[in-house]
Amino acid sequence: RDSIIAEGLRRPGIVAVEVSIAENRYLPVGEDVMVLVVAGDVRENVLSAMQSMLDAIKKTATRKIEHFE
């Protein structure tokens, strides 16, 4: 996760990145799984960085386990 944040901060116009992932606990339906905040100079830079970081986090830093009752 740290390497993904560092990569995001190297993108043009990005000044801050914060990521919080709910880990190692049961999450009820509707609970936030992840919060990703990206601050930057213009919307295009922020949205591009956010999308690439979200894809990278979902691919490499998280996993999903579904429980059915």
PDB file of all heavy atoms in Angstrom, residues 17-42:
ATOM      1  N   VAL A  17      -2.110  12.233  -0.473  1.00  0.00           N
ATOM      2  CA  VAL A  17      -2.901  11.008  -0.643  1.00  0.00           C
ATOM      3  C   VAL A  17      -3.094  10.386   0.732  1.00  0.00           C
ATOM      4  O   VAL A  17      -2.138  10.269   1.502  1.00  0.00           O
ATOM      5  CB  VAL A  17      -2.186   9.991  -1.563  1.00  0.00           C
ATOM      6  CG1 VAL A  17      -2.963   8.681  -1.614  1.00  0.00           C
ATOM      7  CG2 VAL A  17      -1.981  10.553  -2.951  1.00  0.00           C
ATOM      8  N   GLU A  18      -4.315   9.996   1.042  1.00  0.00           N
ATOM      9  CA  GLU A  18      -4.615   9.276   2.278  1.00  0.00           C
ATOM     10  C   GLU A  18      -5.451   8.055   1.921  1.00  0.00           C
ATOM     11  O   GLU A  18      -6.384   8.149   1.111  1.00  0.00           O
ATOM     12  CB  GLU A  18      -5.400  10.153   3.253  1.00  0.00           C
ATOM     13  CG  GLU A  18      -4.624  11.322   3.818  1.00  0.00           C
ATOM     14  CD  GLU A  18      -3.527  10.903   4.775  1.00  0.00           C
ATOM     15  OE1 GLU A  18      -3.675   9.854   5.444  1.00  0.00           O
ATOM     16  OE2 GLU A  18      -2.535  11.626   4.861  1.00  0.00           O
ATOM     17  N   VAL A  19      -5.118   6.916   2.531  1.00  0.00           N
ATOM     18  CA  VAL A  19      -5.866   5.683   2.303  1.00  0.00           C
ATOM     19  C   VAL A  19      -6.141   5.029   3.647  1.00  0.00           C
ATOM     20  O   VAL A  19      -5.245   4.914   4.488  1.00  0.00           O
ATOM     21  CB  VAL A  19      -5.078   4.689   1.417  1.00  0.00           C
ATOM     22  CG1 VAL A  19      -5.880   3.403   1.228  1.00  0.00           C
ATOM     23  CG2 VAL A  19      -4.733   5.301   0.082  1.00  0.00           C
ATOM     24  N   SER A  20      -7.371   4.620   3.841  1.00  0.00           N
ATOM     25  CA  SER A  20      -7.744   3.866   5.033  1.00  0.00           C
ATOM     26  C   SER A  20      -8.544   2.654   4.580  1.00  0.00           C
ATOM     27  O   SER A  20      -9.543   2.800   3.861  1.00  0.00           O
ATOM     28  CB  SER A  20      -8.589   4.737   5.970  1.00  0.00           C
ATOM     29  OG  SER A  20      -9.043   3.971   7.059  1.00  0.00           O
ATOM     30  N   ILE A  21      -8.092   1.476   4.983  1.00  0.00           N
ATOM     31  CA  ILE A  21      -8.763   0.233   4.598  1.00  0.00           C
ATOM     32  C   ILE A  21      -9.173  -0.499   5.870  1.00  0.00           C
ATOM     33  O   ILE A  21      -8.354  -0.697   6.770  1.00  0.00           O
ATOM     34  CB  ILE A  21      -7.834  -0.664   3.751  1.00  0.00           C
ATOM     35  CG1 ILE A  21      -7.415   0.063   2.473  1.00  0.00           C
ATOM     36  CG2 ILE A  21      -8.525  -1.984   3.423  1.00  0.00           C
ATOM     37  CD1 ILE A  21      -6.380  -0.674   1.651  1.00  0.00           C
ATOM     38  N   ALA A  22     -10.440  -0.875   5.949  1.00  0.00           N
ATOM     39  CA  ALA A  22     -10.933  -1.652   7.091  1.00  0.00           C
ATOM     40  C   ALA A  22     -10.384  -3.071   6.954  1.00  0.00           C
ATOM     41  O   ALA A  22     -10.763  -3.798   6.043  1.00  0.00           O
ATOM     42  CB  ALA A  22     -12.450  -1.657   7.107  1.00  0.00           C
ATOM     43  N   GLU A  23      -9.471  -3.419   7.847  1.00  0.00           N
ATOM     44  CA  GLU A  23      -8.780  -4.707   7.735  1.00  0.00           C
ATOM     45  C   GLU A  23      -9.076  -5.614   8.915  1.00  0.00           C
ATOM     46  O   GLU A  23      -9.263  -5.140  10.038  1.00  0.00           O
ATOM     47  CB  GLU A  23      -7.269  -4.483   7.669  1.00  0.00           C
ATOM     48  CG  GLU A  23      -6.811  -3.688   6.472  1.00  0.00           C
ATOM     49  CD  GLU A  23      -5.317  -3.452   6.481  1.00  0.00           C
ATOM     50  OE1 GLU A  23      -4.861  -2.629   7.294  1.00  0.00           O
ATOM     51  OE2 GLU A  23      -4.630  -4.106   5.689  1.00  0.00           O
ATOM     52  N   ASN A  24      -9.083  -6.905   8.639  1.00  0.00           N
ATOM     53  CA  ASN A  24      -9.136  -7.947   9.662  1.00  0.00           C
ATOM     54  C   ASN A  24     -10.311  -7.811  10.612  1.00  0.00           C
ATOM     55  O   ASN A  24     -10.176  -8.018  11.816  1.00  0.00           O
ATOM     56  CB  ASN A  24      -7.824  -7.973  10.453  1.00  0.00           C
ATOM     57  CG  ASN A  24      -6.641  -8.236   9.575  1.00  0.00           C
ATOM     58  OD1 ASN A  24      -6.703  -9.058   8.680  1.00  0.00           O
ATOM     59  ND2 ASN A  24      -5.571  -7.508   9.808  1.00  0.00           N
ATOM     60  N   ARG A  25     -11.466  -7.429  10.067  1.00  0.00           N
ATOM     61  CA  ARG A  25     -12.661  -7.386  10.899  1.00  0.00           C
ATOM     62  C   ARG A  25     -13.889  -7.583  10.027  1.00  0.00           C
ATOM     63  O   ARG A  25     -13.869  -7.309   8.836  1.00  0.00           O
ATOM     64  CB  ARG A  25     -12.758  -6.088  11.685  1.00  0.00           C
ATOM     65  CG  ARG A  25     -12.910  -4.837  10.862  1.00  0.00           C
ATOM     66  CD  ARG A  25     -12.902  -3.588  11.764  1.00  0.00           C
ATOM     67  NE  ARG A  25     -13.010  -2.392  10.985  1.00  0.00           N
ATOM     68  CZ  ARG A  25     -14.141  -1.741  10.749  1.00  0.00           C
ATOM     69  NH1 ARG A  25     -15.269  -2.200  11.253  1.00  0.00           N
ATOM     70  NH2 ARG A  25     -14.164  -0.650  10.022  1.00  0.00           N
ATOM     71  N   TYR A  26     -14.940  -8.055  10.642  1.00  0.00           N
ATOM     72  CA  TYR A  26     -16.210  -8.256   9.954  1.00  0.00           C
ATOM     73  C   TYR A  26     -16.821  -6.895   9.651  1.00  0.00           C
ATOM     74  O   TYR A  26     -16.867  -6.015  10.510  1.00  0.00           O
ATOM     75  CB  TYR A  26     -17.152  -9.073  10.836  1.00  0.00           C
ATOM     76  CG  TYR A  26     -18.537  -9.174  10.269  1.00  0.00           C
ATOM     77  CD1 TYR A  26     -18.822 -10.058   9.235  1.00  0.00           C
ATOM     78  CD2 TYR A  26     -19.557  -8.361  10.752  1.00  0.00           C
ATOM     79  CE1 TYR A  26     -20.090 -10.143   8.701  1.00  0.00           C
ATOM     80  CE2 TYR A  26     -20.835  -8.441  10.219  1.00  0.00           C
ATOM     81  CZ  TYR A  26     -21.088  -9.321   9.200  1.00  0.00           C
ATOM     82  OH  TYR A  26     -22.343  -9.400   8.670  1.00  0.00           O
ATOM     83  N   LEU A  27     -17.304  -6.717   8.442  1.00  0.00           N
ATOM     84  CA  LEU A  27     -17.959  -5.473   8.049  1.00  0.00           C
ATOM     85  C   LEU A  27     -19.416  -5.753   7.712  1.00  0.00           C
ATOM     86  O   LEU A  27     -19.704  -6.544   6.816  1.00  0.00           O
ATOM     87  CB  LEU A  27     -17.278  -4.857   6.823  1.00  0.00           C
ATOM     88  CG  LEU A  27     -15.830  -4.434   6.989  1.00  0.00           C
ATOM     89  CD1 LEU A  27     -15.256  -3.983   5.646  1.00  0.00           C
ATOM     90  CD2 LEU A  27     -15.714  -3.325   8.005  1.00  0.00           C
ATOM     91  N   PRO A  28     -20.329  -5.099   8.403  1.00  0.00           N
ATOM     92  CA  PRO A  28     -21.739  -5.273   8.038  1.00  0.00           C
ATOM     93  C   PRO A  28     -22.033  -4.642   6.681  1.00  0.00           C
ATOM     94  O   PRO A  28     -21.274  -3.793   6.202  1.00  0.00           O
ATOM     95  CB  PRO A  28     -22.495  -4.556   9.155  1.00  0.00           C
ATOM     96  CG  PRO A  28     -21.505  -3.704   9.853  1.00  0.00           C
ATOM     97  CD  PRO A  28     -20.145  -4.235   9.536  1.00  0.00           C
ATOM     98  N   VAL A  29     -23.130  -5.044   6.076  1.00  0.00           N
ATOM     99  CA  VAL A  29     -23.531  -4.491   4.785  1.00  0.00           C
ATOM    100  C   VAL A  29     -23.646  -2.975   4.899  1.00  0.00           C
ATOM    101  O   VAL A  29     -24.195  -2.455   5.867  1.00  0.00           O
ATOM    102  CB  VAL A  29     -24.875  -5.105   4.331  1.00  0.00           C
ATOM    103  CG1 VAL A  29     -25.385  -4.414   3.081  1.00  0.00           C
ATOM    104  CG2 VAL A  29     -24.726  -6.593   4.110  1.00  0.00           C
ATOM    105  N   GLY A  30     -23.069  -2.275   3.932  1.00  0.00           N
ATOM    106  CA  GLY A  30     -23.132  -0.819   3.915  1.00  0.00           C
ATOM    107  C   GLY A  30     -21.968  -0.123   4.590  1.00  0.00           C
ATOM    108  O   GLY A  30     -21.805   1.087   4.463  1.00  0.00           O
ATOM    109  N   GLU A  31     -21.150  -0.861   5.305  1.00  0.00           N
ATOM    110  CA  GLU A  31     -19.985  -0.282   5.986  1.00  0.00           C
ATOM    111  C   GLU A  31     -18.917   0.087   4.960  1.00  0.00           C
ATOM    112  O   GLU A  31     -18.726  -0.619   3.971  1.00  0.00           O
ATOM    113  CB  GLU A  31     -19.416  -1.302   6.974  1.00  0.00           C
ATOM    114  CG  GLU A  31     -18.260  -0.829   7.801  1.00  0.00           C
ATOM    115  CD  GLU A  31     -18.684   0.036   8.980  1.00  0.00           C
ATOM    116  OE1 GLU A  31     -19.876   0.041   9.317  1.00  0.00           O
ATOM    117  OE2 GLU A  31     -17.811   0.684   9.544  1.00  0.00           O
ATOM    118  N   ASP A  32     -18.218   1.193   5.194  1.00  0.00           N
ATOM    119  CA  ASP A  32     -17.125   1.587   4.295  1.00  0.00           C
ATOM    120  C   ASP A  32     -15.986   0.587   4.385  1.00  0.00           C
ATOM    121  O   ASP A  32     -15.481   0.303   5.467  1.00  0.00           O
ATOM    122  CB  ASP A  32     -16.589   2.974   4.660  1.00  0.00           C
ATOM    123  CG  ASP A  32     -17.571   4.080   4.323  1.00  0.00           C
ATOM    124  OD1 ASP A  32     -18.405   3.877   3.436  1.00  0.00           O
ATOM    125  OD2 ASP A  32     -17.486   5.150   4.948  1.00  0.00           O
ATOM    126  N   VAL A  33     -15.574   0.066   3.247  1.00  0.00           N
ATOM    127  CA  VAL A  33     -14.458  -0.865   3.174  1.00  0.00           C
ATOM    128  C   VAL A  33     -13.149  -0.100   3.042  1.00  0.00           C
ATOM    129  O   VAL A  33     -12.146  -0.445   3.639  1.00  0.00           O
ATOM    130  CB  VAL A  33     -14.629  -1.826   1.974  1.00  0.00           C
ATOM    131  CG1 VAL A  33     -13.408  -2.708   1.807  1.00  0.00           C
ATOM    132  CG2 VAL A  33     -15.888  -2.644   2.132  1.00  0.00           C
ATOM    133  N   MET A  34     -13.195   0.972   2.263  1.00  0.00           N
ATOM    134  CA  MET A  34     -11.986   1.744   2.010  1.00  0.00           C
ATOM    135  C   MET A  34     -12.353   3.201   1.789  1.00  0.00           C
ATOM    136  O   MET A  34     -13.393   3.518   1.223  1.00  0.00           O
ATOM    137  CB  MET A  34     -11.265   1.210   0.767  1.00  0.00           C
ATOM    138  CG  MET A  34     -10.067   2.025   0.364  1.00  0.00           C
ATOM    139  SD  MET A  34      -9.094   1.344  -0.998  1.00  0.00           S
ATOM    140  CE  MET A  34     -10.290   0.960  -2.219  1.00  0.00           C
ATOM    141  N   VAL A  35     -11.449   4.075   2.240  1.00  0.00           N
ATOM    142  CA  VAL A  35     -11.554   5.505   1.956  1.00  0.00           C
ATOM    143  C   VAL A  35     -10.255   5.907   1.280  1.00  0.00           C
ATOM    144  O   VAL A  35      -9.166   5.634   1.799  1.00  0.00           O
ATOM    145  CB  VAL A  35     -11.774   6.329   3.237  1.00  0.00           C
ATOM    146  CG1 VAL A  35     -11.793   7.816   2.922  1.00  0.00           C
ATOM    147  CG2 VAL A  35     -13.057   5.909   3.933  1.00  0.00           C
ATOM    148  N   LEU A  36     -10.366   6.529   0.113  1.00  0.00           N
ATOM    149  CA  LEU A  36      -9.211   7.001  -0.645  1.00  0.00           C
ATOM    150  C   LEU A  36      -9.410   8.487  -0.902  1.00  0.00           C
ATOM    151  O   LEU A  36     -10.407   8.884  -1.498  1.00  0.00           O
ATOM    152  CB  LEU A  36      -9.087   6.244  -1.965  1.00  0.00           C
ATOM    153  CG  LEU A  36      -8.057   6.734  -2.983  1.00  0.00           C
ATOM    154  CD1 LEU A  36      -6.651   6.698  -2.411  1.00  0.00           C
ATOM    155  CD2 LEU A  36      -8.152   5.925  -4.261  1.00  0.00           C
ATOM    156  N   VAL A  37      -8.475   9.306  -0.432  1.00  0.00           N
ATOM    157  CA  VAL A  37      -8.558  10.756  -0.601  1.00  0.00           C
ATOM    158  C   VAL A  37      -7.315  11.212  -1.350  1.00  0.00           C
ATOM    159  O   VAL A  37      -6.194  10.883  -0.965  1.00  0.00           O
ATOM    160  CB  VAL A  37      -8.642  11.479   0.763  1.00  0.00           C
ATOM    161  CG1 VAL A  37      -8.714  12.980   0.563  1.00  0.00           C
ATOM    162  CG2 VAL A  37      -9.829  10.979   1.567  1.00  0.00           C
ATOM    163  N   VAL A  38      -7.534  11.967  -2.428  1.00  0.00           N
ATOM    164  CA  VAL A  38      -6.434  12.484  -3.238  1.00  0.00           C
ATOM    165  C   VAL A  38      -6.629  13.989  -3.384  1.00  0.00           C
ATOM    166  O   VAL A  38      -7.707  14.442  -3.766  1.00  0.00           O
ATOM    167  CB  VAL A  38      -6.398  11.827  -4.637  1.00  0.00           C
ATOM    168  CG1 VAL A  38      -5.249  12.385  -5.466  1.00  0.00           C
ATOM    169  CG2 VAL A  38      -6.278  10.315  -4.515  1.00  0.00           C
ATOM    170  N   ALA A  39      -5.589  14.758  -3.082  1.00  0.00           N
ATOM    171  CA  ALA A  39      -5.635  16.215  -3.240  1.00  0.00           C
ATOM    172  C   ALA A  39      -4.630  16.630  -4.297  1.00  0.00           C
ATOM    173  O   ALA A  39      -3.510  16.119  -4.339  1.00  0.00           O
ATOM    174  CB  ALA A  39      -5.308  16.903  -1.918  1.00  0.00           C
ATOM    175  N   GLY A  40      -5.048  17.562  -5.149  1.00  0.00           N
ATOM    176  CA  GLY A  40      -4.150  18.010  -6.205  1.00  0.00           C
ATOM    177  C   GLY A  40      -4.590  19.323  -6.802  1.00  0.00           C
ATOM    178  O   GLY A  40      -5.536  19.950  -6.338  1.00  0.00           O
ATOM    179  N   ASP A  41      -3.895  19.710  -7.852  1.00  0.00           N
ATOM    180  CA  ASP A  41      -4.096  21.031  -8.431  1.00  0.00           C
ATOM    181  C   ASP A  41      -5.359  21.151  -9.282  1.00  0.00           C
ATOM    182  O   ASP A  41      -6.135  22.073  -9.111  1.00  0.00           O
ATOM    183  CB  ASP A  41      -2.860  21.467  -9.220  1.00  0.00           C
ATOM    184  CG  ASP A  41      -2.483  20.508 -10.335  1.00  0.00           C
ATOM    185  OD1 ASP A  41      -3.121  19.448 -10.486  1.00  0.00           O
ATOM    186  OD2 ASP A  41      -1.524  20.822 -11.065  1.00  0.00           O
ATOM    187  N   VAL A  42      -5.596  20.237 -10.203  1.00  0.00           N
ATOM    188  CA  VAL A  42      -6.778  20.312 -11.057  1.00  0.00           C
ATOM    189  C   VAL A  42      -7.499  18.964 -11.072  1.00  0.00           C
ATOM    190  O   VAL A  42      -6.895  17.912 -10.847  1.00  0.00           O
ATOM    191  CB  VAL A  42      -6.435  20.747 -12.507  1.00  0.00           C
ATOM    192  CG1 VAL A  42      -5.905  22.167 -12.546  1.00  0.00           C
ATOM    193  CG2 VAL A  42      -5.466  19.795 -13.161  1.00  0.00           C
TER     194      VAL A  42
END
